[in-house]
Amino acid sequence: MSYGHFSDDGKEYIVTRPDTPRPWINYLTNGRYCALCSQTGGGHSFFETSGYNRVTREYPQLVVLQDRPGRYVFLRDAETGDYWSANWQPVCDKFDSFEAHHGIGYTSIMSSSHGIDSCITYYVPPRDDVEVWMISLKNSSDKPREIQAFPYVKWDLANFAYSAVESSFASLFNEVSVEDHTIFVSTRFWNITSGTTGNPNTRWDKWAFMTSTAPIEAYDCLDEEFMGMYRSLANPIAIEEGQLRNSCGNGREIMASFQHRFSLQPGEEVKFIILVGVAYRMEDAFHLRDRYDDWGEAERGLVELDRHWDSYLSRTQVATPSREFDLSVNTWNKYQAWVTSRWSRMDSYYVAGSSIIGFRDSWQDMLAILPNDVEWARERVVYMLEHQFPDGSCLHNWDPLTNIGVKTGHSDDPMWLVLGVLEYLKESGDLMFLDEAIRYYDGGSETVRQHIVRALDYTLAHMSDRGLPLIMAADWNDGLDYVGRQGRGESSMVAGHLAWMLREVASLLWFVGSDALAQKYVEARDHLVRNINQYLWDGEWYIRGTRDDGEAFGSSRNIEGRIYINSQSWMVLGSAASRNRAIRCMDSVKKHLDTPYGPALFLPAYREPDPKLGIITRFAPGTKENGTIFCHPTAWVIMAECILGRGDQAWEYWKQVSFVHRGAEPDVYKVEPYVYCEYVHGPDSGYFGQGEFSWMTGTAAWMWRVCMDWILGVRAELRGLLIDPCIPSEWDGFKVNRHFRKCNYEIEVENPDHVSQGVRAIFVDGECHTSHLLPLFPPGETHQVKVVMGEPTGGVEVVAELTVERIST
């Protein structure tokens, strides 16, 4: 690949040239402090919330094209006046060599230019809210050198939306203080919504700071003094002249830079550390500075970071015949899912400065964390339940700092609550959690069991005259925002989701002895499934829904948007389709929606806006939700194909959207080849195949879970760990190390007959086992499981969890 490659152990992506087709970034975060860092050190930082606690600057209109500003180290030869940047950006001078290593939680940039070898490693420690820059400079020439170094950041304090729109006014409140070799900055005006009326009248309760372990000759904090008039970051006047002015910049546009000077003999190397962070008090910043006051301490912090991530990543490991699959499941997909679970859709290079997290997004993001950190997932489940109302409805999104959000009436929100709680119960086995009291958003509390019941009953109370769920404000596809404004439009995706959740909750209630309530939901599901197949079946596939005027969309009768992907996959996920119809509708997905880059969300794209459908028709054809390859629902298609036992087709879809696979065409795909993007331009776009909106996507969580639960077929159920692989028939087998309910299961699967699905025999610790469900063991034990795939011979019981998931005729 012309721009980079994975390291041999797969834990780094090594960028071999700085001018990638798009900025290829990393998230350096401990879940509180977050630094977005590109292959050239570009990016910005925030603390806790991107909207209200910004630290360094982002220019949304320029960041994707220019990847500026960032965390830079300017270098200058004090004798010749030549200057460059160790990052390549922003001077963009020619380099003798360049590599950037994106690792798990850190990024290192190594370059050689003007006879100086440089290395910068950026990371955010697990326990401290600061970004550490470990900088080394080595004289690789054959003569003594006088080298100046100028670390640089551009501040953007507290309020992103405010400063982005009114930056010249917002800067009037900036204040700067230089104390004990440390630059402190804050703002006297914090435009935070606290639920009170009137104009904001609060100062930011934090200080952003920058400090260095190297001797400081001078500093600058005022943009104008550092940059100079009619110049840019490519040629700041202070760097050109080699002299900072000790400017402060109170009430002005501010940045931070130190001036260092090093005398280097041939082969000599100097190392120093820059800290950029946030603290509630100046004294706290000094404590952090003292903690990382030498190179050894910074190295120990990096070791601590490595241990933190090794502990997390090692909890579930696989070994398959596909290195591409292993790279994804073991490391990069898992890492991306962790990042999205902490930051939802709050901030990226493409969506800047949001202060909200989404209800549906966060429930789904949590799914990939469950097998690897069930304690954190439990805390997340409780937190999410606290944003439900007593009638079963939910906030759609909110700001985590103020806890203020909006209730939009999206029809899918309550269903994600039900799914998330059920998955937690399956993973943990903690059925006592059902009886724990959790408060509602607007007061009062009930048990978790009642939260589930309220969510289901809310959806059942919002049905059309035909007994199908109303779409209301929209469903998972926010672009369908005018389908149900008058309260009559229907959603087939929510219908499939509801059918699934009714089945799952009924199984749970039977399991815990609530038979009468379970029977109520069984009867409701039977009625729903009849209505789905009576009103939504279109002959070869299911329609996507109906508008307020009763007209179907996603139908063979439509010219545009004839077939939608989600109304097919979710009927299979919810077992709402008979096997015959399930196969026909999924075959229609293959026939009408498949592209070289994965199945499209729907096709053809809408050429003209349709006010009766909504904003989905206003996006340019082949862009965003209008006829693109949306990677998130591709995971549901893979799951549906596994339910049908079609492992080869599931594998084909996985490979089509795999970031490793797509990364082989970097000038087409453009975005990072080590994480999923939200969507790929569809066939109606002039940029067909190009990825957009990388990192912050629900694809990460769902794709990881689908790979583990459905392709490898090792998934949690209430009664234990279930074995039901659905793999490509070419595989000889695979291995999984799965941590489940405080035990380790070392699973080896053999596929001598090269089938896609079917289990002939299971052995646990050498003894023949007669169920797809593995036995439960005392905490702390490790057990060996051998699985032989093939046509079932009757030796392995087909348990209830399989019979309700696999579609019968």
Side-chain angles (χ1 to χ4, degrees):
M1 208 275 265
S2 54
Y3 295 91
H5 56 87
F6 288 99
S7 61
D8 290 342
D9 64 3
K11 293 185 178 180
E12 289 186 335
Y13 191 88
I14 301 171
V15 183
T16 54
R17 51 187 285 189
D19 56 337
T20 51
R22 289 283 187 274
W24 288 358
I25 74 163
N26 198 0
Y27 277 75
L28 316 180
T29 179
N30 55 19
R32 301 178 308 276
Y33 190 97
C34 185
L36 282 67
C37 186
S38 78
Q39 79 284 357
T40 63
H44 57 280
S45 306
F46 60 91
F47 175 67
E48 290 183 340
T49 169
S50 177
Y52 289 129
N53 280 324
R54 295 294 278 227
V55 177
T56 59
R57 172 75 74 178
E58 173 190 16
Y59 294 107
Q61 301 88 348
L62 302 177
V63 65
V64 174
L65 295 178
Q66 296 185 3
D67 192 22
R68 297 179 188 172
R71 44 193 68 78
Y72 301 135
V73 179
F74 293 92
L75 300 177
R76 182 178 184 272
D77 188 318
E79 296 172 331
T80 67
D82 292 339
Y83 63 90
W84 64 101
S85 47
N87 312 65
W88 185 68
Q89 281 272 29
V91 179
C92 301
D93 201 5
K94 290 184 178 180
F95 277 3
D96 297 323
S97 65
F98 174 91
E99 278 192 355
H101 292 219
H102 282 318
I104 308 303
Y106 68 91
T107 290
S108 295
I109 301 171
M110 291 150 281
S111 64
S112 179
S113 184
H114 295 78
I116 299 295
D117 296 341
S118 63
C119 177
I120 314 171
T121 295
Y122 305 100
Y123 73 91
V124 173
R127 58 176 171 161
D128 295 322
D129 300 321
V130 66
E131 54 190 270
V132 181
W133 309 5
M134 299 175 64
I135 305 167
S136 66
L137 305 174
K138 182 177 181 180
N139 180 3
S140 58
S141 71
D142 57 2
K143 62 180 181 179
R145 304 288 296 277
E146 293 291 322
I147 299 297
Q148 293 177 294
F150 304 85
Y152 166 93
V153 293
K154 167 71 174 169
W155 302 116
D156 181 20
L157 304 176
N159 312 291
F160 172 74
Y162 187 68
S163 60
V165 175
E166 296 282 353
S167 60
S168 59
F169 185 68
S171 65
L172 297 173
F173 307 101
N174 289 338
E175 58 181 334
V176 179
S177 177
V178 181
E179 306 282 344
D180 195 11
H181 309 294
T182 302
I183 294 173
F184 289 97
V185 292
S186 190
T187 175
R188 300 154 69 96
F189 185 70
W190 194 12
N191 191 23
I192 185 170
T193 304
S194 60
T196 60
T197 58
N199 293 325
N201 191 26
T202 307
R203 78 173 289 147
W204 195 34
D205 61 350
K206 303 169 188 69
W207 290 92
F209 65 90
M210 180 177 182
T211 187
S212 175
T213 61
I216 298 171
E217 292 187 335
Y219 62 86
D220 261 334
C221 299
L222 177 60
D223 256 3
E224 185 175 333
E225 288 289 337
F226 178 80
M227 194 91 67
M229 292 298 295
Y230 310 113
R231 289 171 174 262
S232 71
L233 279 174
N235 61 343
I237 187 65
I239 304 300
E240 185 174 294
E241 294 178 354
Q243 184 60 55
L244 303 188
R245 275 83 166 163
N246 294 337
S247 61
C248 279
N250 288 306
R252 306 284 297 279
E253 282 283 339
I254 53 175
M255 38 68 69
S257 183
F258 290 125
Q259 179 176 317
H260 303 301
R261 186 181 181 111
F262 304 105
S263 299
L264 298 176
Q265 295 298 313
E268 187 178 359
E269 184 178 29
V270 64
K271 298 178 180 180
F272 63 103
I273 298 155
I274 299 293
L275 297 185
V276 175
V278 64
Y280 288 94
R281 303 177 307 161
M282 290 184 178
E283 292 82 359
D284 298 332
F286 293 140
H287 290 319
L288 286 171
R289 181 195 64 187
D290 294 342
R291 181 174 296 168
Y292 298 93
D293 62 352
D294 64 43
W295 193 263
E297 290 299 321
E299 285 185 324
R300 277 187 281 275
L302 193 57
V303 169
E304 181 183 351
L305 178 76
D306 290 340
R307 288 174 179 167
H308 165 80
W309 280 111
D310 285 345
S311 173
Y312 181 79
L313 295 176
S314 65
R315 293 175 195 175
T316 307
Q317 288 286 303
V318 308
T320 75
S322 170
R323 182 173 187 261
E324 180 178 332
F325 187 85
D326 295 353
L327 276 172
S328 179
V329 174
N330 289 335
T331 307
W332 290 95
N333 187 182
K334 190 187 298 183
Y335 175 47
Q336 182 186 6
W338 189 97
V339 171
T340 60
S341 74
R342 267 57 178 185
W343 300 114
S344 188
R345 311 298 173 265
M346 186 180 289
D347 198 285
S348 73
Y349 259 44
Y350 302 89
V351 179
S354 169
S355 62
I356 63 172
I357 63 173
F359 191 79
R360 80 157 75 97
D361 299 331
S362 295
W363 278 112
Q364 295 175 83
D365 294 339
M366 179 270 298
L367 297 177
I369 308 303
L370 267 169
N372 304 303
D373 190 350
V374 71
E375 291 81 11
W376 182 91
R378 188 186 193 280
E379 294 175 3
R380 196 65 162 182
V381 168
V382 171
Y383 176 68
M384 298 300 294
L385 287 171
E386 291 173 344
H387 293 84
Q388 185 188 26
F389 293 90
D391 67 352
S393 61
C394 319
L395 285 184
H396 187 61
N397 51 51
W398 62 91
D399 173 69
L401 191 62
T402 65
N403 206 34
I404 295 173
V406 293
K407 180 180 176 181
T408 59
H410 280 69
S411 55
D412 62 315
D413 282 339
M415 293 297 94
W416 297 114
L417 180 153
V418 178
L419 175 64
V421 175
L422 287 170
E423 290 302 316
Y424 168 73
L425 293 172
K426 290 178 181 180
E427 183 67 36
S428 67
D430 180 17
L431 295 179
M432 294 179 65
F433 183 63
L434 285 169
D435 298 319
E436 184 171 325
I438 306 293
R439 66 187 180 189
Y440 289 109
Y441 180 71
D442 58 349
S445 64
E446 286 189 297
T447 64
V448 172
R449 186 193 314 248
Q450 283 302 114
H451 278 266
I452 297 173
V453 169
R454 299 288 188 196
L456 276 179
D457 288 352
Y458 180 84
T459 303
L460 289 170
H462 291 78
M463 307 286 275
S464 70
D465 294 340
R466 303 195 301 175
L468 295 166
L470 296 171
I471 194 171
M472 300 192 286
D475 58 18
W476 173 86
N477 195 326
D478 295 303
L480 298 170
D481 58 336
Y482 271 81
V483 169
R485 286 293 178 103
Q486 299 171 24
R488 294 188 295 275
E490 300 165 329
S491 168
S492 62
M493 181 177 178
V494 176
H497 200 165
L498 179 59
W500 184 12
M501 293 302 97
L502 287 169
R503 184 194 74 198
E504 292 285 302
V505 171
S507 297
L508 169 66
L509 293 171
W510 272 321
F511 192 72
V512 298
S514 298
D515 293 1
L517 189 54
Q519 187 60 34
K520 168 191 168 181
Y521 289 140
V522 168
E523 292 172 2
R525 184 182 185 279
D526 289 344
H527 183 64
L528 172 63
V529 169
R530 284 195 298 270
N531 294 335
I532 286 172
N533 285 283
Q534 180 177 351
Y535 298 118
L536 300 181
W537 181 248
D538 199 48
E540 292 298 323
W541 61 80
Y542 290 92
I543 65 171
R544 183 59 172 83
T546 58
R547 308 181 314 200
D548 280 323
D549 60 7
E551 288 297 314
F553 64 100
S555 166
S556 59
R557 298 186 296 276
N558 302 135
I559 297 174
E560 298 169 339
R562 294 181 72 240
I563 174 172
Y564 279 68
I565 198 171
N566 287 339
S567 43
Q568 317 320 317
S569 58
W570 279 84
M571 294 309 173
V572 181
L573 271 56
S575 298
S578 66
R579 182 167 183 84
N580 176 270
R581 286 190 174 181
I583 290 174
R584 287 166 70 183
C585 75
M586 293 308 297
D587 284 349
S588 294
V589 168
K590 177 68 175 175
K591 179 178 179 180
H592 297 287
L593 296 179
D594 195 23
T595 79
Y597 309 117
L601 189 61
F602 64 83
L603 287 175
Y606 294 102
R607 292 287 175 180
E608 296 295 331
D610 184 345
K612 294 183 178 180
L613 289 178
I615 198 172
I616 194 170
T617 66
R618 298 187 183 277
F619 294 118
T623 303
K624 201 62 169 82
E625 279 104 334
N626 188 5
T628 60
I629 295 92
F630 229 75
C631 300
H632 190 161
T634 300
W636 300 325
V637 170
I638 294 169
M639 181 174 168
E641 291 292 353
C642 288
I643 290 173
L644 294 175
R646 305 199 297 190
D648 289 325
Q649 183 59 70
W651 179 246
E652 180 182 340
Y653 285 140
W654 182 86
K655 287 187 67 176
Q656 286 176 336
V657 299
S658 161
F659 49 78
V660 184
H661 178 72
R662 289 304 319 281
E665 298 179 299
D667 291 310
V668 175
Y669 190 49
K670 293 188 181 291
V671 294
E672 294 93 333
Y674 43 86
V675 291
Y676 286 106
C677 64
E678 182 185 65
Y679 74 91
V680 172
H681 284 261
D684 293 289
S685 167
Y687 308 99
F688 184 35
Q690 180 174 307
E692 300 284 3
F693 292 20
S694 59
W695 276 96
M696 292 297 154
T697 166
T699 311
W702 269 106
M703 201 64 80
W704 192 84
R705 283 297 297 264
V706 164
C707 288
M708 286 299 306
D709 292 10
W710 294 94
I711 294 179
L712 301 182
V714 180
R715 60 182 177 272
E717 293 292 345
L718 286 173
R719 294 194 291 155
L721 198 60
L722 186 71
I723 305 296
D724 182 31
C726 188
I727 60 175
S729 57
E730 65 186 27
W731 282 12
D732 294 323
F734 62 90
K735 295 179 180 179
V736 174
N737 189 353
R738 177 70 153 85
H739 189 74
F740 180 68
R741 298 187 189 174
K742 300 182 179 180
C743 287
N744 284 315
Y745 292 80
E746 296 178 351
I747 303 166
E748 182 174 2
V749 178
E750 298 177 354
N751 188 22
D753 297 337
H754 288 275
V755 299
S756 284
Q757 193 176 54
V759 173
R760 180 185 301 158
I762 297 178
F763 302 89
V764 178
D765 296 327
E767 299 292 327
C768 184
H769 186 65
T770 58
S771 173
H772 284 265
L773 279 167
L774 300 181
L776 297 173
F777 295 102
E781 295 185 357
T782 297
H783 295 270
Q784 282 70 45
V785 178
K786 180 180 178 180
V787 179
V788 181
M789 296 182 66
E791 290 298 324
T793 60
V796 180
E797 174 192 1
V798 179
V799 297
E801 281 79 0
L802 286 179
T803 59
V804 297
E805 286 163 356
R806 291 189 186 160
I807 301 221
S808 57
T809 303

